[in-house]
Amino acid sequence: MLKVGALAKRTRLTVRTLHHYEVIGLLVPGRTPSGHRVYDQAAVERLHQIVALRQLGFGLDAIRDSLNDPALALPDVLERQLAHVRAEQTRAAQLAHRLERLLVQVRQQQPLALDDVLHTIEATVMYEKYYTPEQLADLKARADALGPEGMQQAQQDWADLIAEVQVAMDEGIDPSSERALALGQRWNALIEAFTGGNAGIRQSLANMYQQEGTASASQGAVDPAMMQWLQPAMEAASSDK
C-alpha cells in the first residue's frame, strides 16, 4: 500500500495529476481510517495501464473507455506499449548501425559515400527531433497550407496565450478555477491545431517535452513552472470533451 506522495515519487507523476485522476474517476484510491489516500497493487497496475495508454497517444476519455472495456486486459496494454518501445529501439538501432559504419570508414581513412552521410544526417535529425519522416511530412504539409501569414498568426496566438497564462499565475489564480480551465482549453486547441489531431504527432511532441524538458523543447518560451501550473487545467479540459 502506497500513500499518494510515495506513489508520486516512485512514478515521477505529480500528486496533482494523481488527484486529478481521482476526481475524474480514472484512478480512485482507497482510504485509511484516518482518511489518507492509499494505492494497492491493483491500483498501481491500473495506473500503469493509464500511463501506457497515454504514451500511445490516448486521451483521458479514450483511456477511461478502454479501461472499462472488458476486452482490453492488461496483457493487451503491455503488448501495445512493448510494440511502441520496440519501434523506438529499432529507430535507435538503425541510427547506431549507420554511425558504426561511418566510424569504421573514417578510422580506415576510406572515402565516405555521400548517400551514407545524408542518410545518417536524416536519421540523426529525425531521432533527435522525435518525429518520424511521415510525421514531419504531415507537419510540413499543414504549414504549407497555412502559408506565411497563417504561420505568423499561429505563433502570435501562442505568444498571446503564454502571456495570459503568466498573468494568471502572477495573480495567484487557482489552477482548478474556471479561468484556468479556459486557458487549458485554449492550450489544448492550439496543440490540436499543430498536431492536426494526429495521435502519433501529439505523442512525439509529448515525448520531446518529457525527455528534453519544457524549457528546451519550447526553445525558452515556456518554463517548467508554467506547465506544472497549467497541466491540471489541460487534463480537465481534455476530460470534458
Side-chain angles (χ1 to χ4, degrees):
M1 303 288 282
L2 293 172
K3 290 185 177 179
V4 64
L7 181 60
K9 184 176 180 180
R10 291 287 300 275
T11 60
R12 298 199 176 191
L13 294 168
T14 66
V15 170
R16 183 175 291 170
T17 295
L18 294 173
H19 285 176
H20 179 62
Y21 288 165
E22 178 183 359
V23 169
I24 65 177
L26 201 57
L27 181 69
V28 180
R31 295 278 181 170
T32 66
S34 59
H36 291 98
R37 296 175 176 85
V38 287
Y39 298 81
D40 59 11
Q41 176 77 22
V44 173
E45 290 182 1
R46 184 177 175 91
L47 179 59
H48 174 259
Q49 290 179 282
I50 295 169
V51 171
L53 291 171
R54 293 218 67 176
Q55 183 184 34
L56 295 171
F58 283 59
L60 293 180
D61 284 342
I63 290 174
R64 183 187 296 107
D65 293 341
S66 297
L67 293 178
N68 292 333
D69 182 358
L72 184 66
L74 180 58
D76 300 313
V77 177
L78 290 172
E79 287 178 1
R80 293 186 187 184
Q81 187 181 24
L82 181 59
H84 174 80
V85 171
R86 281 177 172 166
E88 293 297 318
Q89 288 177 329
T90 298
R91 281 192 282 271
Q94 290 172 344
L95 174 58
H97 176 71
R98 290 192 177 105
L99 292 171
E100 287 170 354
R101 187 169 58 186
L102 287 182
L103 183 58
V104 169
Q105 291 175 338
V106 169
R107 283 177 172 170
Q108 294 178 352
Q109 297 184 339
Q110 297 176 1
L112 300 179
L114 179 59
D115 281 346
D116 286 344
V117 178
L118 290 173
H119 287 318
T120 302
I121 293 172
E122 179 186 16
T124 301
V125 171
M126 299 306 163
Y127 188 74
E128 289 182 348
K129 295 298 184 182
Y130 297 90
Y131 299 106
T132 66
E134 293 78 12
Q135 290 171 350
L136 287 173
D138 192 345
L139 290 170
K140 184 178 184 303
R142 266 200 307 284
D144 291 342
L146 284 174
E149 292 184 1
M151 289 295 294
Q152 184 176 3
Q153 183 60 54
Q155 292 171 358
Q156 187 61 52
D157 290 342
W158 272 113
D160 292 344
L161 180 54
I162 289 169
E164 289 185 45
V165 173
Q166 188 61 60
V167 168
M169 291 175 62
D170 292 343
E171 292 178 357
I173 299 300
D174 188 336
S176 62
S177 66
E178 288 298 321
R179 179 174 168 186
L181 178 61
L183 292 170
Q185 289 172 334
R186 288 171 58 193
W187 199 284
N188 286 342
L190 289 181
I191 292 177
E192 187 75 6
F194 170 74
T195 64
N198 185 313
I201 293 177
R202 188 181 182 107
Q203 187 57 53
S204 294
L205 178 66
N207 290 343
M208 182 174 66
Y209 270 75
Q210 182 179 9
Q211 297 298 323
E212 300 298 328
T214 299
S216 295
S218 67
Q219 299 181 12
V222 182
D223 62 40
M226 180 176 291
M227 284 306 302
Q228 186 176 7
W229 184 88
L230 191 62
Q231 191 67 37
M234 293 170 60
E235 293 182 352
S238 296
S239 67
D240 287 343
K241 289 184 178 181

Tab-separated table of all heavy atoms in Angstrom, residues 12-18 20-21 24 54 60 165 169 174-176 180-181 183-185 187-188 191 202 206 209-210 214 222-239:
chain	number	residue	atom	x	y	z
A	12	ARG	N	7.252	9.361	-10.585
A	12	ARG	CA	7.584	10.675	-11.145
A	12	ARG	C	6.362	11.400	-11.701
A	12	ARG	O	6.495	12.357	-12.462
A	12	ARG	CB	8.670	10.574	-12.224
A	12	ARG	CG	9.986	10.036	-11.685
A	12	ARG	CD	11.145	10.362	-12.587
A	12	ARG	NE	12.403	9.908	-12.008
A	12	ARG	CZ	13.604	10.238	-12.458
A	12	ARG	NH1	13.703	11.044	-13.500
A	12	ARG	NH2	14.687	9.796	-11.885
A	13	LEU	N	5.183	10.953	-11.324
A	13	LEU	CA	3.981	11.717	-11.599
A	13	LEU	C	3.817	12.741	-10.475
A	13	LEU	O	4.392	12.591	-9.398
A	13	LEU	CB	2.762	10.799	-11.645
A	13	LEU	CG	2.723	9.782	-12.782
A	13	LEU	CD1	1.614	8.760	-12.540
A	13	LEU	CD2	2.512	10.474	-14.124
A	14	THR	N	3.025	13.762	-10.718
A	14	THR	CA	2.789	14.741	-9.665
A	14	THR	C	1.597	14.306	-8.818
A	14	THR	O	0.696	13.599	-9.298
A	14	THR	CB	2.516	16.139	-10.241
A	14	THR	OG1	1.279	16.109	-10.974
A	14	THR	CG2	3.645	16.588	-11.162
A	15	VAL	N	1.596	14.737	-7.570
A	15	VAL	CA	0.453	14.470	-6.698
A	15	VAL	C	-0.805	15.077	-7.312
A	15	VAL	O	-1.891	14.490	-7.263
A	15	VAL	CB	0.716	15.048	-5.291
A	15	VAL	CG1	-0.554	14.995	-4.441
A	15	VAL	CG2	1.847	14.287	-4.610
A	16	ARG	N	-0.644	16.232	-7.923
A	16	ARG	CA	-1.785	16.906	-8.547
A	16	ARG	C	-2.384	16.053	-9.663
A	16	ARG	O	-3.613	15.976	-9.817
A	16	ARG	CB	-1.340	18.264	-9.094
A	16	ARG	CG	-2.466	19.104	-9.698
A	16	ARG	CD	-1.940	20.468	-10.084
A	16	ARG	NE	-1.604	21.243	-8.897
A	16	ARG	CZ	-0.948	22.400	-8.944
A	16	ARG	NH1	-0.545	22.895	-10.099
A	16	ARG	NH2	-0.688	23.054	-7.839
A	17	THR	N	-1.530	15.400	-10.442
A	17	THR	CA	-2.028	14.531	-11.504
A	17	THR	C	-2.798	13.357	-10.928
A	17	THR	O	-3.889	13.006	-11.410
A	17	THR	CB	-0.858	14.017	-12.360
A	17	THR	OG1	-0.254	15.119	-13.041
A	17	THR	CG2	-1.338	13.002	-13.387
A	18	LEU	N	-2.270	12.742	-9.876
A	18	LEU	CA	-2.963	11.619	-9.247
A	18	LEU	C	-4.299	12.069	-8.662
A	18	LEU	O	-5.302	11.349	-8.765
A	18	LEU	CB	-2.079	11.015	-8.161
A	18	LEU	CG	-0.794	10.335	-8.657
A	18	LEU	CD1	0.076	9.925	-7.476
A	18	LEU	CD2	-1.110	9.125	-9.528
A	20	HIS	N	-6.090	14.502	-9.826
A	20	HIS	CA	-6.986	14.743	-10.957
A	20	HIS	C	-7.551	13.431	-11.492
A	20	HIS	O	-8.746	13.354	-11.816
A	20	HIS	CB	-6.235	15.479	-12.071
A	20	HIS	CG	-7.086	15.750	-13.279
A	20	HIS	ND1	-8.212	16.539	-13.237
A	20	HIS	CD2	-6.978	15.305	-14.567
A	20	HIS	CE1	-8.762	16.585	-14.436
A	20	HIS	NE2	-8.039	15.844	-15.249
A	21	TYR	N	-6.716	12.407	-11.567
A	21	TYR	CA	-7.211	11.097	-11.998
A	21	TYR	C	-8.313	10.607	-11.063
A	21	TYR	O	-9.270	9.951	-11.505
A	21	TYR	CB	-6.074	10.080	-12.026
A	21	TYR	CG	-5.077	10.270	-13.147
A	21	TYR	CD1	-3.844	9.620	-13.124
A	21	TYR	CD2	-5.350	11.106	-14.226
A	21	TYR	CE1	-2.921	9.786	-14.153
A	21	TYR	CE2	-4.443	11.292	-15.245
A	21	TYR	CZ	-3.215	10.634	-15.198
A	21	TYR	OH	-2.308	10.807	-16.215
A	24	ILE	N	-11.705	12.637	-11.749
A	24	ILE	CA	-12.436	12.236	-12.955
A	24	ILE	C	-12.776	10.751	-12.956
A	24	ILE	O	-13.309	10.227	-13.939
A	24	ILE	CB	-11.651	12.594	-14.236
A	24	ILE	CG1	-10.341	11.804	-14.315
A	24	ILE	CG2	-11.401	14.095	-14.307
A	24	ILE	CD1	-9.563	12.069	-15.619
A	54	ARG	N	-1.532	6.557	-22.341
A	54	ARG	CA	-1.173	7.942	-22.640
A	54	ARG	C	0.063	7.986	-23.531
A	54	ARG	O	0.163	8.819	-24.423
A	54	ARG	CB	-0.925	8.723	-21.353
A	54	ARG	CG	-2.167	8.919	-20.504
A	54	ARG	CD	-2.221	10.265	-19.840
A	54	ARG	NE	-2.381	11.335	-20.818
A	54	ARG	CZ	-2.542	12.611	-20.507
A	54	ARG	NH1	-2.551	12.968	-19.249
A	54	ARG	NH2	-2.673	13.525	-21.441
A	60	LEU	N	-7.726	11.170	-22.218
A	60	LEU	CA	-8.257	10.642	-20.961
A	60	LEU	C	-9.611	9.972	-21.148
A	60	LEU	O	-9.894	8.950	-20.512
A	60	LEU	CB	-8.358	11.772	-19.924
A	60	LEU	CG	-7.017	12.355	-19.447
A	60	LEU	CD1	-7.263	13.460	-18.427
A	60	LEU	CD2	-6.133	11.274	-18.847
A	165	VAL	N	-1.377	33.150	-19.583
A	165	VAL	CA	-1.154	32.151	-18.529
A	165	VAL	C	-0.211	32.721	-17.469
A	165	VAL	O	-0.425	32.547	-16.265
A	165	VAL	CB	-0.582	30.847	-19.115
A	165	VAL	CG1	-0.188	29.882	-17.993
A	165	VAL	CG2	-1.599	30.190	-20.041
A	169	MET	N	-0.914	33.190	-13.461
A	169	MET	CA	-0.026	32.659	-12.436
A	169	MET	C	0.423	33.760	-11.485
A	169	MET	O	0.428	33.580	-10.266
A	169	MET	CB	1.182	31.998	-13.085
A	169	MET	CG	0.870	30.720	-13.838
A	169	MET	SD	2.331	30.070	-14.690
A	169	MET	CE	3.440	29.742	-13.304
A	174	ASP	N	-6.237	30.142	-8.967
A	174	ASP	CA	-6.297	28.710	-8.656
A	174	ASP	C	-6.253	27.916	-9.964
A	174	ASP	O	-7.053	28.172	-10.872
A	174	ASP	CB	-7.597	28.413	-7.911
A	174	ASP	CG	-7.645	26.980	-7.388
A	174	ASP	OD1	-6.955	26.117	-7.952
A	174	ASP	OD2	-8.376	26.740	-6.416
A	175	PRO	N	-5.333	26.947	-10.085
A	175	PRO	CA	-5.242	26.153	-11.322
A	175	PRO	C	-6.510	25.364	-11.633
A	175	PRO	O	-6.688	24.924	-12.767
A	175	PRO	CB	-4.066	25.199	-11.045
A	175	PRO	CG	-3.268	25.864	-9.982
A	175	PRO	CD	-4.255	26.599	-9.125
A	176	SER	N	-7.384	25.169	-10.629
A	176	SER	CA	-8.629	24.437	-10.862
A	176	SER	C	-9.809	25.367	-11.150
A	176	SER	O	-10.945	24.906	-11.274
A	176	SER	CB	-8.957	23.558	-9.652
A	176	SER	OG	-9.160	24.347	-8.490
A	180	ALA	N	-8.625	29.189	-15.270
A	180	ALA	CA	-7.536	28.287	-15.646
A	180	ALA	C	-8.023	27.235	-16.634
A	180	ALA	O	-7.313	26.878	-17.583
A	180	ALA	CB	-6.954	27.622	-14.400
A	181	LEU	N	-9.239	26.717	-16.429
A	181	LEU	CA	-9.795	25.719	-17.342
A	181	LEU	C	-9.918	26.280	-18.762
A	181	LEU	O	-9.602	25.597	-19.741
A	181	LEU	CB	-11.166	25.259	-16.845
A	181	LEU	CG	-11.894	24.233	-17.729
A	181	LEU	CD1	-11.083	22.950	-17.849
A	181	LEU	CD2	-13.283	23.935	-17.162
A	183	LEU	N	-8.083	28.624	-20.055
A	183	LEU	CA	-6.727	28.688	-20.613
A	183	LEU	C	-6.256	27.304	-21.050
A	183	LEU	O	-5.614	27.162	-22.097
A	183	LEU	CB	-5.770	29.274	-19.568
A	183	LEU	CG	-5.977	30.753	-19.206
A	183	LEU	CD1	-5.129	31.131	-17.996
A	183	LEU	CD2	-5.628	31.649	-20.394
A	184	GLY	N	-6.588	26.293	-20.255
A	184	GLY	CA	-6.228	24.923	-20.625
A	184	GLY	C	-6.909	24.489	-21.910
A	184	GLY	O	-6.307	23.805	-22.746
A	185	GLN	N	-8.159	24.889	-22.084
A	185	GLN	CA	-8.888	24.557	-23.309
A	185	GLN	C	-8.229	25.204	-24.528
A	185	GLN	O	-8.081	24.568	-25.585
A	185	GLN	CB	-10.339	25.018	-23.187
A	185	GLN	CG	-11.159	24.191	-22.205
A	185	GLN	CD	-12.529	24.784	-21.950
A	185	GLN	OE1	-12.744	25.997	-22.088
A	185	GLN	NE2	-13.475	23.947	-21.560
A	187	TRP	N	-5.084	26.131	-24.751
A	187	TRP	CA	-3.774	25.493	-24.947
A	187	TRP	C	-3.944	24.182	-25.709
A	187	TRP	O	-3.221	23.892	-26.665
A	187	TRP	CB	-3.127	25.248	-23.584
A	187	TRP	CG	-1.647	25.017	-23.627
A	187	TRP	CD1	-1.007	23.870	-24.023
A	187	TRP	CD2	-0.613	25.953	-23.279
A	187	TRP	NE1	0.345	24.021	-23.929
A	187	TRP	CE2	0.626	25.293	-23.476
A	187	TRP	CE3	-0.600	27.251	-22.811
A	187	TRP	CZ2	1.855	25.902	-23.218
A	187	TRP	CZ3	0.617	27.860	-22.551
A	187	TRP	CH2	1.819	27.194	-22.757
A	188	ASN	N	-4.936	23.381	-25.282
A	188	ASN	CA	-5.198	22.114	-25.968
A	188	ASN	C	-5.598	22.348	-27.421
A	188	ASN	O	-5.223	21.573	-28.312
A	188	ASN	CB	-6.307	21.349	-25.253
A	188	ASN	CG	-5.841	20.728	-23.946
A	188	ASN	OD1	-4.638	20.580	-23.719
A	188	ASN	ND2	-6.781	20.368	-23.088
A	191	ILE	N	-2.531	23.021	-29.472
A	191	ILE	CA	-1.805	21.760	-29.697
A	191	ILE	C	-2.524	20.932	-30.746
A	191	ILE	O	-1.900	20.342	-31.640
A	191	ILE	CB	-1.670	20.971	-28.381
A	191	ILE	CG1	-0.747	21.705	-27.407
A	191	ILE	CG2	-1.134	19.561	-28.656
A	191	ILE	CD1	-0.622	21.036	-26.057
A	202	ARG	N	1.167	13.991	-31.672
A	202	ARG	CA	0.974	14.511	-30.307
A	202	ARG	C	1.856	13.751	-29.318
A	202	ARG	O	2.447	14.350	-28.427
A	202	ARG	CB	-0.492	14.389	-29.902
A	202	ARG	CG	-0.789	15.087	-28.579
A	202	ARG	CD	-2.237	14.949	-28.159
A	202	ARG	NE	-2.459	15.688	-26.920
A	202	ARG	CZ	-3.120	16.821	-26.826
A	202	ARG	NH1	-3.617	17.386	-27.911
A	202	ARG	NH2	-3.284	17.416	-25.666
A	206	ALA	N	4.850	15.123	-26.972
A	206	ALA	CA	4.905	14.864	-25.531
A	206	ALA	C	6.233	14.231	-25.137
A	206	ALA	O	6.817	14.570	-24.107
A	206	ALA	CB	3.737	13.960	-25.128
A	209	TYR	N	8.947	16.899	-24.981
A	209	TYR	CA	8.850	17.713	-23.769
A	209	TYR	C	9.298	16.926	-22.541
A	209	TYR	O	9.960	17.463	-21.653
A	209	TYR	CB	7.420	18.222	-23.580
A	209	TYR	CG	7.187	19.563	-24.244
A	209	TYR	CD1	7.060	19.658	-25.631
A	209	TYR	CD2	7.126	20.729	-23.496
A	209	TYR	CE1	6.870	20.884	-26.241
A	209	TYR	CE2	6.937	21.963	-24.102
A	209	TYR	CZ	6.810	22.030	-25.482
A	209	TYR	OH	6.635	23.244	-26.086
A	210	GLN	N	8.931	15.645	-22.507
A	210	GLN	CA	9.295	14.822	-21.360
A	210	GLN	C	10.799	14.589	-21.294
A	210	GLN	O	11.406	14.656	-20.228
A	210	GLN	CB	8.553	13.488	-21.425
A	210	GLN	CG	8.849	12.573	-20.234
A	210	GLN	CD	8.086	11.271	-20.313
A	210	GLN	OE1	7.465	10.956	-21.321
A	210	GLN	NE2	8.128	10.493	-19.250
A	214	THR	N	10.723	21.118	-20.538
A	214	THR	CA	9.846	22.140	-21.105
A	214	THR	C	10.613	23.303	-21.710
A	214	THR	O	10.312	23.748	-22.823
A	214	THR	CB	8.887	22.662	-20.022
A	214	THR	OG1	8.086	21.582	-19.552
A	214	THR	CG2	7.988	23.757	-20.567
A	222	VAL	N	8.411	28.611	-22.717
A	222	VAL	CA	7.608	28.151	-21.589
A	222	VAL	C	8.547	27.572	-20.535
A	222	VAL	O	9.450	26.805	-20.866
A	222	VAL	CB	6.597	27.067	-22.020
A	222	VAL	CG1	5.738	26.639	-20.830
A	222	VAL	CG2	5.725	27.566	-23.165
A	223	ASP	N	8.322	27.938	-19.276
A	223	ASP	CA	9.165	27.367	-18.226
A	223	ASP	C	8.425	26.228	-17.535
A	223	ASP	O	7.197	26.110	-17.629
A	223	ASP	CB	9.625	28.427	-17.229
A	223	ASP	CG	8.486	29.087	-16.482
A	223	ASP	OD1	7.532	28.384	-16.093
A	223	ASP	OD2	8.540	30.306	-16.284
A	224	PRO	N	9.148	25.351	-16.827
A	224	PRO	CA	8.516	24.197	-16.193
A	224	PRO	C	7.411	24.571	-15.216
A	224	PRO	O	6.410	23.848	-15.101
A	224	PRO	CB	9.693	23.519	-15.473
A	224	PRO	CG	10.903	23.931	-16.246
A	224	PRO	CD	10.618	25.334	-16.696
A	225	ALA	N	7.577	25.678	-14.498
A	225	ALA	CA	6.560	26.084	-13.527
A	225	ALA	C	5.227	26.367	-14.212
A	225	ALA	O	4.154	26.047	-13.684
A	225	ALA	CB	7.032	27.318	-12.761
A	226	MET	N	5.289	26.948	-15.402
A	226	MET	CA	4.056	27.236	-16.137
A	226	MET	C	3.349	25.948	-16.533
A	226	MET	O	2.124	25.814	-16.380
A	226	MET	CB	4.349	28.095	-17.375
A	226	MET	CG	3.100	28.426	-18.194
A	226	MET	SD	3.425	29.529	-19.599
A	226	MET	CE	3.800	31.061	-18.737
A	227	MET	N	4.098	24.985	-17.045
A	227	MET	CA	3.492	23.730	-17.456
A	227	MET	C	2.914	22.987	-16.258
A	227	MET	O	1.839	22.389	-16.345
A	227	MET	CB	4.514	22.857	-18.179
A	227	MET	CG	4.804	23.291	-19.605
A	227	MET	SD	3.309	23.458	-20.641
A	227	MET	CE	2.616	21.815	-20.519
A	228	GLN	N	3.614	23.024	-15.132
A	228	GLN	CA	3.113	22.363	-13.931
A	228	GLN	C	1.814	23.008	-13.463
A	228	GLN	O	0.884	22.324	-13.030
A	228	GLN	CB	4.162	22.425	-12.825
A	228	GLN	CG	3.769	21.637	-11.576
A	228	GLN	CD	4.871	21.626	-10.540
A	228	GLN	OE1	5.888	22.299	-10.683
A	228	GLN	NE2	4.682	20.860	-9.488
A	229	TRP	N	1.745	24.335	-13.556
A	229	TRP	CA	0.530	25.052	-13.160
A	229	TRP	C	-0.632	24.734	-14.105
A	229	TRP	O	-1.773	24.557	-13.677
A	229	TRP	CB	0.808	26.554	-13.159
A	229	TRP	CG	-0.341	27.399	-12.676
A	229	TRP	CD1	-0.626	27.772	-11.392
A	229	TRP	CD2	-1.371	27.992	-13.493
A	229	TRP	NE1	-1.762	28.549	-11.356
A	229	TRP	CE2	-2.241	28.696	-12.625
A	229	TRP	CE3	-1.653	27.978	-14.862
A	229	TRP	CZ2	-3.353	29.383	-13.084
A	229	TRP	CZ3	-2.764	28.672	-15.329
A	229	TRP	CH2	-3.609	29.364	-14.447
A	230	LEU	N	-0.336	24.643	-15.398
A	230	LEU	CA	-1.390	24.510	-16.403
A	230	LEU	C	-1.830	23.065	-16.615
A	230	LEU	O	-2.951	22.832	-17.090
A	230	LEU	CB	-0.892	25.095	-17.735
A	230	LEU	CG	-1.919	25.282	-18.852
A	230	LEU	CD1	-2.998	26.279	-18.420
A	230	LEU	CD2	-1.230	25.782	-20.117
A	231	GLN	N	-0.999	22.090	-16.271
A	231	GLN	CA	-1.284	20.694	-16.588
A	231	GLN	C	-2.649	20.216	-16.083
A	231	GLN	O	-3.399	19.584	-16.841
A	231	GLN	CB	-0.179	19.791	-16.031
A	231	GLN	CG	-0.237	18.352	-16.541
A	231	GLN	CD	0.063	18.257	-18.024
A	231	GLN	OE1	0.908	18.985	-18.542
A	231	GLN	NE2	-0.624	17.372	-18.714
A	232	PRO	N	-3.031	20.480	-14.830
A	232	PRO	CA	-4.361	20.030	-14.387
A	232	PRO	C	-5.490	20.612	-15.228
A	232	PRO	O	-6.465	19.923	-15.509
A	232	PRO	CB	-4.418	20.521	-12.933
A	232	PRO	CG	-3.001	20.673	-12.510
A	232	PRO	CD	-2.267	21.133	-13.742
A	233	ALA	N	-5.355	21.877	-15.601
A	233	ALA	CA	-6.408	22.513	-16.415
A	233	ALA	C	-6.473	21.881	-17.798
A	233	ALA	O	-7.569	21.676	-18.346
A	233	ALA	CB	-6.143	24.015	-16.526
A	234	MET	N	-5.310	21.565	-18.370
A	234	MET	CA	-5.288	20.918	-19.684
A	234	MET	C	-5.948	19.538	-19.617
A	234	MET	O	-6.731	19.164	-20.488
A	234	MET	CB	-3.854	20.783	-20.181
A	234	MET	CG	-3.176	22.103	-20.502
A	234	MET	SD	-1.395	21.888	-20.814
A	234	MET	CE	-1.424	20.776	-22.228
A	235	GLU	N	-5.623	18.790	-18.554
A	235	GLU	CA	-6.204	17.442	-18.416
A	235	GLU	C	-7.690	17.524	-18.150
A	235	GLU	O	-8.481	16.725	-18.678
A	235	GLU	CB	-5.480	16.689	-17.303
A	235	GLU	CG	-4.038	16.370	-17.636
A	235	GLU	CD	-3.319	15.586	-16.550
A	235	GLU	OE1	-3.922	15.431	-15.459
A	235	GLU	OE2	-2.206	15.126	-16.787
A	236	ALA	N	-8.100	18.497	-17.321
A	236	ALA	CA	-9.533	18.665	-17.045
A	236	ALA	C	-10.277	19.063	-18.306
A	236	ALA	O	-11.386	18.581	-18.565
A	236	ALA	CB	-9.726	19.717	-15.957
A	237	ALA	N	-9.667	19.942	-19.115
A	237	ALA	CA	-10.302	20.371	-20.363
A	237	ALA	C	-10.427	19.192	-21.323
A	237	ALA	O	-11.444	19.057	-22.021
A	237	ALA	CB	-9.482	21.482	-21.005
A	238	SER	N	-9.433	18.314	-21.354
A	238	SER	CA	-9.496	17.141	-22.225
A	238	SER	C	-10.586	16.186	-21.785
A	238	SER	O	-11.287	15.606	-22.611
A	238	SER	CB	-8.136	16.409	-22.218
A	238	SER	OG	-7.136	17.219	-22.766
A	239	SER	N	-10.751	16.042	-20.475
A	239	SER	CA	-11.742	15.101	-19.952
A	239	SER	C	-13.163	15.610	-20.155
A	239	SER	O	-14.112	14.835	-20.125
A	239	SER	CB	-11.511	14.844	-18.463
A	239	SER	OG	-11.762	16.019	-17.704
